[in-house]
Amino acid sequence: MRIACLGMAHETNTFQSVPTTYEAFENFELLRGEEITSKHSTANSTVSGFFEGAGRFEFDLIPLVHAFTGPTGTVTKDAFDRIVGEMLDALRTSGPFDGILLGQHGAAVSEEYPDMDGEIARRVREVVGVDTPIVMCLDLHSNITRGMVEAVNATVVYRTNPHLDPKPRAVEASEILVKTIRGEVKPVQWIEQLPMVINISKQPTELEPMKSVMEDVRAVLKRPGVLSASCGQGYPYADVIEMGVSFVVVADGDKEVARDGAQWLAERTWANRNLFGNDTPTPKEAMAMALSAPVGEGPTVVMDMGDNVGGGGSADSTHLLVEAQEQGAGNLLMSLFDPQAVQECVTAGPGAQVTLKVGGKTDTLHGEPVEVSGRVRAITDGRFEEPTPIHGGFRFFDYGPSVALDLSPTNGLAEGNTLLLHTERGVGNMTRQQMYSAGIFPENYRVVVAKGVVSPRAAYEPIAREIVLANTPGVSSADLNAFTFTHRRKPLYPFEETAEYTPGMIIR
Ligand SMILES: [Zn+2]
């Protein structure tokens, strides 16, 4: 049994001014054939799960093309044409295949296609024809569209946020695909799209209100005849018509089973819609909470939601650093993307005392550069490895030449503050290895600023005294009213309180 896997996964923040180019994929991850095997066969990603599935269900996996890059602005037409062109060429020349595993994200937007994932799925279907089953894996932050679901036989979405389950979900997708090829099951799907947004601050699946939603999903999974059940939480920073929460249920041959499951999930979530909004503290309140916590019980981790690197943030926001200075913070740790500052520190050398302006250099949304003084503690190559499963299943990281800078008690700060400066934007603060690799122990700090909402949780929950979400400004601000949407649906709750849901609603 020959099964191909391929995909071009991107979470597009359409409010980000930096477009996502072919080079952006190339710089992060644009892999072919054996390159995919060597990078993913032992990791914890979606593609890793396809390899695991191949072993478990005894099929030959032929990895074709896998493209991925961190959340940035709209994907250029050039990047779409070249990468999708290569994917489809590989599909044509390496076939025929008994089935296809498609690893997408579900929130990609290109210059031409607001539903980029749907367009890719449609083109893959066009190449392989209606008789070759396709199963698609999506990220939980997907704005799932009718186009995506209609182009494939089954859709399987992560069920954890932070994303600790890309691999088991991909194994689940592999099993559905293999059983479909063998004629043991006949997947049918139903998508139910609620006119509603789940605020980014309410998206962690281990916390309410999402915890109950995922319990409902697991209840549907246990229903007779259900092959898979999913919630697409939605990605609010992609300004597209389908932006919002949706439910997809895959049943064996019986569309009513799929529909009943999806509509039950949608109705239950809709009934609690007032629980999914933003009620997080301001940066000032969040920093004050962190600084008033007792010392010696582990750090209070302040999430910089406006600079969610995993959601398109610039990774150099200074809003919380300014707040730290204004409130006289001590024993605080944060990372910043700042190639210029790294260069200045490298030039000064290890042990040197420097005064420089850090952060706030990428755009106008993430604060101004801030003056600090300090001693260059360490210079590293910014590379590290995280062997345990973390958000998204990443393992190898490269933040470029990096500097640990111990700040002096000047510019309003107290003792014991440390900055970790990087030359590459990276993927936020997903793993403590980022700090350990520079000789920094976040356990010893009173406050750790983590750029993100959910992705740092797997790294920091084990050591945090408390996690505080800060409603900071920025490209991924939890305050959705700060953005001007032009393509989203109207009415859409909570933007329009009058929004109504009727089962079976069709967006387009
Ligand atoms: Zn995600």
Side-chain angles (χ1 to χ4, degrees), residues 69-84:
T69 188
T72 37
T74 302
V75 176
T76 62
K77 178 179 176 342
D78 172 67
F80 178 90
D81 288 348
R82 287 165 74 184
I83 295 171
V84 175

Side-chain angles (χ1 to χ4, degrees), residues 200 283 286-287 301-311 313-321 334-336 365-367 429 448-456 467-478:
I200 202 82
M287 187 57 70
V301 177
V302 180
M303 298 283 196
D304 187 348
M305 292 199 295
D307 191 11
N308 179 1
V309 186
S314 61
D316 74 342
S317 171
T318 53
H319 291 296
L320 285 167
L321 183 56
M334 75 184 281
S335 67
L336 282 173
L365 291 169
H366 300 92
N429 305 113
V448 174
V449 172
K451 294 183 174 298
V453 181
V454 170
S455 69
I467 289 182
V468 176
L469 299 180
N471 192 6
T472 43
V475 76
S476 53
S477 169

Side-chain angles (χ1 to χ4, degrees), residues 383-388 394-397 431 433-434 437:
R383 291 186 188 173
F384 47 92
E385 182 183 347
E386 171 58 72
T388 63
F394 294 97
R395 178 162 188 166
F396 302 102
F397 297 82
T431 154
Q433 300 298 337
Q434 176 189 16
S437 66

Side-chain angles (χ1 to χ4, degrees), residues 464-488:
R465 182 190 168 275
E466 193 186 355
I467 289 182
V468 176
L469 299 180
N471 192 6
T472 43
V475 76
S476 53
S477 169
D479 181 8
L480 294 179
N481 290 314
F483 300 94
T484 307
F485 289 87
T486 49
H487 303 293
R488 71 168 177 84

